[in-house]
Amino acid sequence: MDNPHNILHCNLQGSAQGQREVDNAQAPMVIDEEEVTPTSRKVCGSGIPSLPQSPQRASSPSVALASIPEGPSEEASTNQVEDLEDPLRMFYNALNIKVYDLVDFLLFKYEMKAFTTKAEMLESIGREYDQYFSLIFSEASECMKLVFGIDMIEVDPFVHSYILVIALGITYDGMLTDVQGMPKTGLLIVVLGIIFMQGNCVSEDIIWEMLNNIGLYGGRDAYIHQDPRKLISEEFVQEGYLEYRQVPNSDPHSYQFLWGPRAFAETTKMNVLKFFASITKTDPRAFTEKYAEALRDEIERAQAWIAQEIAL
């Protein structure tokens, strides 16, 4: 699979959790020149651009600081720190590569509708990355959720086995009509979330602006293998997840998106709110107005279900 993962928000170097785990790890092999060099060749050959590197970030890992010998002058020490920047950049890039490798493996498992285990995942990225597995696994899981709308559910905590399922109870993944594509549920969930957070009705201009903000422009996208605009305004509408309406009395004509009947049937406002809260690491109740609306929706659904059961 190609590696256009720069838009996935899975950048280890920008992850606070990733920094903490790397800072605490004992990894002399990464700084060793003989072992870093092959990794750098892999990074350069992958076509993935180097990550932005700040001086503070470059000098923060304890393993890097421990590797700086005491020098007789400030100039010598500065040169030694600068010499370490490239190996550290290689290290972060190497971890990113492993996230991409694991995402590839998990997508294959999803297509096969098969379970996977920690042992299998570790084998897919290389057992030498064992001490960094929790970090790589966390970032890959986040990518699967945000980009593809796929949740990883642990089914056996003793052997650490997992099943991959579509998030939020949605039954559509977009692979049925385009077997060469990737699951498209992530984009659908993002659109449903934008509609809910914008008052349950949003102009198409805002949707297209959102696409630009996350790096999905007009034309074919490397993940979904088709035009995202066409996917949203046609396929998601045809599947019943979205409604596409003309704004009343608009001149010139403008259009807006709303949730479709299939979205209401398969998921809830609360599920979507919790999904977005998990992305921002926020309690759903922090969105006071939207949480109250989602809670009312849950109560109304429960009352409707009770009334239906009584009628039977």
Side-chain angles (χ1 to χ4, degrees):
M1 182 174 105
D2 293 336
N3 280 324
H5 296 268
N6 297 325
I7 66 170
L8 303 193
H9 310 290
C10 304
N11 190 331
L12 291 175
Q13 197 167 9
S15 165
Q17 177 188 0
Q19 180 63 34
R20 287 194 299 270
E21 295 196 29
V22 171
D23 288 352
N24 295 329
Q26 297 299 318
M29 67 171 185
V30 176
I31 302 303
D32 184 80
E33 184 65 27
E34 292 182 2
E35 295 187 18
V36 169
T37 301
T39 303
S40 68
R41 285 197 296 269
K42 180 174 182 180
V43 171
C44 293
S46 69
I48 300 174
S50 297
L51 301 177
Q53 183 76 13
S54 67
Q56 179 183 1
R57 188 127 192 130
S59 59
S60 60
S62 57
V63 63
L65 291 175
S67 302
I68 302 176
E70 294 183 4
S73 68
E74 182 179 349
E75 180 181 356
S77 297
T78 301
N79 291 337
Q80 288 161 351
V81 172
E82 291 175 351
D83 289 342
L84 285 173
E85 289 187 5
D86 284 342
L88 286 169
R89 185 181 294 112
M90 295 172 193
F91 173 55
Y92 288 119
N93 275 329
L95 289 186
N96 272 319
I97 291 291
K98 292 305 172 181
V99 171
Y100 306 156
D101 289 345
L102 184 53
V103 168
D104 269 341
F105 174 77
L106 294 174
L107 285 172
F108 171 76
K109 284 292 185 177
Y110 173 76
E111 291 178 32
M112 297 295 103
K113 305 300 179 186
F115 289 85
T116 189
T117 64
K118 176 182 177 180
E120 285 183 335
M121 289 185 278
L122 190 55
E123 191 70 32
S124 74
I125 63 174
R127 292 193 172 275
E128 64 271 22
Y129 285 86
D130 181 47
Q131 64 181 352
Y132 300 111
F133 176 78
S134 61
L135 171 60
I136 295 170
F137 175 77
S138 174
E139 296 292 333
S141 299
E142 197 77 357
C143 285
M144 293 295 291
K145 174 185 285 189
L146 296 182
V147 181
F148 303 111
I150 303 297
D151 270 335
M152 295 193 64
I153 308 297
E154 188 173 33
V155 294
D156 190 334
F158 296 102
V159 297
H160 300 291
S161 62
Y162 299 83
I163 185 73
L164 291 96
V165 299
I166 305 173
L168 306 190
I170 292 174
T171 60
Y172 164 93
D173 65 7
M175 298 181 69
L176 300 178
T177 57
D178 183 7
V179 295
Q180 293 182 341
M182 295 294 176
K184 304 173 182 65
T185 327
L187 180 59
L188 172 60
I189 292 172
V190 167
V191 174
L192 292 175
I194 292 294
I195 294 171
F196 171 53
M197 300 300 284
Q198 292 288 329
N200 302 305
C201 179
V202 61
S203 72
E204 62 176 337
D205 289 339
I206 292 179
I207 295 295
W208 307 147
E209 181 181 352
M210 176 272 295
L211 288 180
N212 286 336
N213 289 340
I214 64 175
L216 293 174
Y217 301 91
R220 294 175 66 86
D221 176 71
Y223 284 118
I224 61 180
H225 294 275
Q226 66 187 84
D227 183 351
R229 291 195 178 200
K230 183 177 181 181
L231 178 64
I232 292 172
S233 60
E234 294 184 16
E235 186 166 339
F236 289 172
V237 173
Q238 292 169 1
E239 291 288 338
Y241 286 105
L242 299 177
E243 287 191 16
Y244 185 56
R245 296 181 183 174
Q246 181 179 333
V247 177
N249 303 319
S250 60
D251 186 20
H253 294 328
S254 60
Y255 293 84
Q256 58 192 7
F257 286 100
L258 302 85
W259 279 28
R262 190 172 172 184
F264 284 108
E266 294 184 357
T267 193
T268 67
K269 294 178 179 179
M270 185 64 77
N271 285 342
V272 171
L273 180 61
K274 288 180 178 178
F275 182 91
F276 274 80
S278 71
I279 294 173
T280 58
K281 312 300 181 187
T282 307
D283 190 310
R285 289 169 291 188
F287 303 92
T288 309
E289 182 179 341
K290 288 301 173 184
Y291 185 80
E293 179 183 342
L295 193 59
R296 288 194 299 271
D297 180 66
E298 294 287 303
I299 294 172
E300 291 171 2
R301 286 171 179 262
Q303 291 173 339
W305 181 83
I306 292 172
Q308 184 178 9
E309 290 297 306
I310 293 175
L312 295 176

